[in-house]
Amino acid sequence: MAEAVIPRSRAQVRQERRRALGPFAALTHLALLAWTVLVVVPIVWTFLASVKSEDEIFGDAWSLPAVLRFDSWGRAWEQAHIGQYMINSVIVVACGTFGTMLFGSMAAYVLARYSFFGNRAVYLLFVSGLAFPVYLALGPLFFVVQNMGTLPVVGPFIGLGTHGGLVLVYIAYSLPFTVFFLAAFFRTLPGAVAEAAFVDGASHARVFFQIMLPMAKPGIVSVTIFNVLGQWNQYQLPLVLLNSDRQKWVLTQGIAEISTAAGYDADWSALFAALSMAILPMLVVYTIFQSQIQKGLTAGALK
Amino acid sequence: MNHGRTRFVTGFLSIPVALYLIYVIAPYAQAFYIALTDWRGVTATPRFVGLENFRRLLDDDVFWRAVGHNLLLLVLMPLLTVTIALFFAFLLNAGGRGGTGGVWGSKFYRVVFFFPQVLAVAVVAVLFQQVFRPDRSGMLNAPLMALGFEPIGFLSDTGVALWAILGVLVWQAVGFYVVLFSAGIASIPRDLFEAAAIDGAGGAQLFLRITLPLLWDTIQVGWVYLGIAAMDVFAVVWVMTAEQGGPDHSTTVMAAEVYRTAFGYFKFGYASAMGVVLFFFTIGFAALALRLSRRERIEF
């Protein structure tokens, strides 16, 4: 009904605005499309190069492949071990993120909702980790992990060149942000439901796992996305801690190695295929979850 | 209700705190001490040399070139990224329908722009190594050569390589900040834009007088994040450039020198000294940035 009353003034306003912003609005799409091209073209070009022959790759960069050859994908997967590296990445990131979320949310919950001597100190200790550049500690970290490998019983699983060792390091280095973000989140949750559960005789652990954790789901999802991406994209920690055993390498290491060690007789189409294989799953997962990923990462940055 | 409270708190904190102390705090604490020794990783007890490593650092040309490159990136990467991202965020949110609504297709643009952000930096580095190839097979040089120009050695020309790296860093970062700033702009009440537009404000004025001041807090956060990222640049240089920081040290950065010194030359003491310098640069930058950009908070 209100629509009917003011159509003229609205149209007027709109017209005035259009007059003020005419050329500006016209250039908007041009600028946006230009950046779209900048983002999309290198990626599409990589996919095209992966189905080109060696000769075509060394020819003009903008030529299209005459026929689609997918044999390079097979070579990259098998001979360049991209399949193995990808499986390794999935294992390490799955365990790393799970551990990070479990231990991170436990610590954040206790620090956010229980007062005890030293609470503030422990919280600040975690949060101070946000400011440390990882390079400062690379050398000592290498020897810490090496020493862990000499422990009885567990040593062989968490030393240098093991996925277990890398997972523990990922967890430890993901804790500052996870604790920082989730503690802020747990503080905002209402206490009434938890108190009711305590009255009914629930234990502290039960209240955490069955009441508080489900209530914190939006925060948990954001931080999980943040950690999955961070750990999947990690390069220098595996470079330092997994260097010895190629079988254990993760995807980013494998891709970088094919490129740097390639030399003149390199299998270029296999390199492009390997790149495509690293890009494709991220493209698919991102397209499916893009709104959560964008929200999760920006929420992370603003906290 | 207090039954088992202490046991619960201790139980929940012990594993995370232990992991954190072993893998994060202990190495950082050791790094500051190792920086004062000549440790090469073989002897059990490193020899204490005081500030000798830092004195040697003063004469280390390659290290100072790395510092210079980091400082250049520290200034230019946030400047370019924030400027471009602000421009696009403003276009996306206020460019359409007469300056107040989102432009048509803004969701599509946001999805596409953000995409480089989810790719691993190492993967991006390899991708652009191919894009920058110095002959007809390089994406950028192919059209140049077709037009009769000499190909540009994006990664082999000492005067160009660092700019190529800057380009890659900005390419990857812009999308994230477009989304971040878009979220900020979306939270500005639309009446402000509408009122200003009715009063005859143009696009530029809407941007300078309303968007920019009200977005200042978010921009500040973005600036600090990008500054820290510029100090931490590693994978792009290490994976993409010739001689890992070359040619002729023209692209090397502090993190690459720390890594090379520690794991290439096994000079852990000297590398830790570099790390300590890097640490103070980063902390100093963050403190400075927060201080300089402090302004009165605008509530709306």
Side-chain angles (χ1 to χ4, degrees):
Chain A
M1 278 295 118
E3 291 287 311
V5 186
I6 48 160
R8 214 178 68 86
S9 70
R10 257 204 182 181
Q12 234 171 12
V13 168
R14 199 171 295 156
Q15 208 181 5
E16 272 170 39
R17 281 187 216 146
R18 198 170 291 146
R19 211 178 302 137
L21 294 161
F24 175 77
L27 288 172
T28 296
H29 278 284
L30 205 62
L32 291 169
L33 279 173
W35 193 267
T36 307
V37 168
L38 271 181
V39 168
V40 171
V41 166
I43 294 165
V44 172
W45 179 74
T46 303
F47 282 93
L48 279 177
S50 76
V51 293
K52 284 181 179 179
S53 67
E54 252 347 69
D55 288 345
E56 286 171 330
I57 287 175
F58 281 111
D60 187 73
W62 290 85
S63 66
L64 292 172
V67 280
L68 304 183
R69 300 158 186 273
F70 283 96
D71 51 311
S72 61
W73 285 60
R75 289 201 304 279
W77 186 263
E78 287 292 333
Q79 287 163 28
H81 308 292
I82 292 299
Q84 182 64 49
Y85 300 150
M86 202 175 284
I87 292 166
N88 291 344
S89 273
V90 170
I91 293 171
V92 170
V93 173
C95 298
T97 309
F98 178 77
T100 304
M101 295 316 294
L102 179 68
F103 296 130
S105 62
M106 280 160 59
Y109 174 68
V110 168
L111 291 171
R113 298 191 75 97
Y114 288 79
S115 61
F116 54 91
F117 177 76
N119 179 317
R120 187 88 191 135
V122 175
Y123 176 74
L124 286 177
L125 190 70
F126 274 119
V127 172
S128 64
L130 285 170
F132 298 161
V134 72
Y135 308 98
L136 173 55
L138 278 182
L141 178 66
F142 175 85
F143 290 101
V144 165
V145 177
Q146 192 178 50
N147 288 335
M148 296 303 274
T150 63
L151 289 177
V153 189
V154 290
F157 303 102
I158 59 170
L160 281 178
T162 65
H163 287 158
L166 190 62
V167 165
L168 292 179
V169 171
Y170 276 4
I171 294 173
Y173 280 83
S174 306
L175 281 176
F177 178 76
T178 307
V179 169
F180 175 61
F181 185 97
L182 286 180
F185 205 88
F186 278 123
R187 271 186 214 115
T188 65
L189 295 180
V193 187
E195 270 161 37
F198 281 128
V199 172
D200 289 346
S203 68
H204 291 276
R206 196 182 156 95
V207 167
F208 171 71
F209 283 110
Q210 295 198 332
I211 296 170
M212 299 309 278
L213 215 48
M215 269 165 55
K217 201 176 152 203
I220 303 269
V221 170
S222 291
V223 184
T224 306
I225 288 169
F226 189 90
N227 284 322
V228 167
L229 280 176
Q231 295 182 8
W232 180 268
N233 292 342
Q234 183 53 247
Y235 174 63
Q236 57 280 139
L237 287 174
L239 191 64
V240 170
L241 301 174
L242 287 183
N243 220 346
S244 48
D245 188 354
R246 294 185 73 110
Q247 287 288 310
K248 299 278 172 61
W249 279 9
V250 295
L251 189 60
T252 49
Q253 254 176 313
I255 300 272
E257 167 72 11
I258 299 176
S259 161
T260 46
Y264 294 104
D265 57 342
D267 185 346
W268 291 109
S269 39
L271 172 66
F272 281 108
L275 267 179
S276 306
M277 277 185 237
I279 293 172
L280 197 61
M282 297 310 280
L283 193 64
V284 172
V285 172
Y286 168 65
T287 312
I288 297 170
F289 297 107
Q290 43 88 14
S291 67
Q292 281 104 315
I293 290 177
Q294 290 191 355
K295 266 188 220 130
L297 284 188
T298 44
L302 282 175
K303 278 286 165 181
Chain B
M1 181 171 161
N2 276 330
H3 176 70
R5 194 171 173 281
T6 312
R7 216 179 50 193
F8 170 74
V9 168
T10 326
F12 259 39
L13 272 183
S14 54
I15 297 178
V17 169
L19 282 175
Y20 189 65
L21 287 177
I22 294 170
Y23 289 107
V24 182
I25 297 298
Y28 279 107
Q30 286 176 47
F32 281 92
Y33 172 70
I34 294 171
L36 304 173
T37 71
D38 67 350
W39 201 35
R40 296 179 66 93
V42 277
T43 48
T45 47
R47 194 167 62 94
F48 186 82
V49 294
L51 295 175
E52 172 65 16
N53 286 326
F54 293 95
R55 202 196 55 72
R56 273 178 55 208
L57 262 185
L58 288 177
D59 301 327
D60 188 333
D61 289 341
V62 173
F63 179 72
W64 289 108
R65 291 189 71 179
V67 171
H69 296 153
N70 272 110
L71 291 178
L72 185 88
L73 294 176
L74 176 67
V75 173
L76 291 183
M77 185 196 153
L79 189 70
L80 286 173
T81 309
V82 168
T83 307
I84 297 171
L86 262 179
F87 175 65
F88 286 130
F90 182 67
L91 290 188
L92 286 174
N93 292 279
R97 278 178 268 132
T100 52
V103 73
W104 184 83
S106 67
K107 191 169 178 317
F108 166 79
Y109 289 123
R110 258 197 291 264
V111 172
V112 173
F113 285 13
F114 196 83
F115 181 62
Q117 189 68 35
V118 299
L119 296 183
V121 186
V123 169
V124 169
V126 177
L127 194 162
F128 274 92
Q129 199 179 34
Q130 301 307 315
V131 168
F132 288 142
R133 275 161 78 134
D135 48 30
R136 278 171 67 225
S137 57
M139 214 179 90
L140 292 174
N141 275 319
L144 282 181
M145 292 176 78
L147 292 171
F149 292 102
E150 284 288 301
I152 297 172
F154 288 101
L155 300 173
S156 52
D157 186 328
T158 52
V160 180
L162 192 63
W163 302 102
I165 285 169
L166 177 65
V168 174
L169 294 172
V170 172
W171 180 85
Q172 187 167 35
V174 160
F176 176 80
Y177 292 92
V178 168
V179 172
L180 187 70
F181 295 153
S182 292
I185 293 174
S187 71
I188 299 173
R190 288 188 46 183
D191 338 354
L192 285 175
F193 288 111
E194 298 198 356
I198 290 169
D199 289 346
Q205 278 189 311
L206 287 181
F207 177 76
L208 288 174
R209 299 280 171 83
I210 298 183
T211 313
L212 205 55
L214 292 181
L215 207 59
W216 197 250
D217 275 348
T218 314
I219 295 172
Q220 183 181 327
V221 169
W223 206 276
V224 174
Y225 263 65
L226 282 162
I228 291 174
M231 301 302 278
D232 279 354
V233 168
F234 174 74
V236 173
V237 167
W238 197 254
V239 176
M240 196 166 82
T241 59
E243 305 149 32
Q244 298 170 319
D248 193 23
H249 307 297
S250 63
T251 59
T252 194
V253 287
M254 288 192 278
E257 290 310 315
V258 173
Y259 181 78
R260 195 196 319 274
T261 308
F263 295 97
Y265 308 144
F266 300 104
K267 294 179 183 169
F268 288 100
Y270 195 50
S272 289
M274 290 179 178
V276 169
V277 173
L278 174 58
F279 173 77
F280 284 113
F281 268 118
T282 310
I283 298 282
F285 161 75
L288 192 72
L290 288 172
R291 202 174 168 77
L292 287 181
S293 54
R294 195 188 302 158
R295 277 201 178 187
E296 275 194 28
R297 231 190 151 83
I298 301 163
E299 300 287 343
F300 52 86

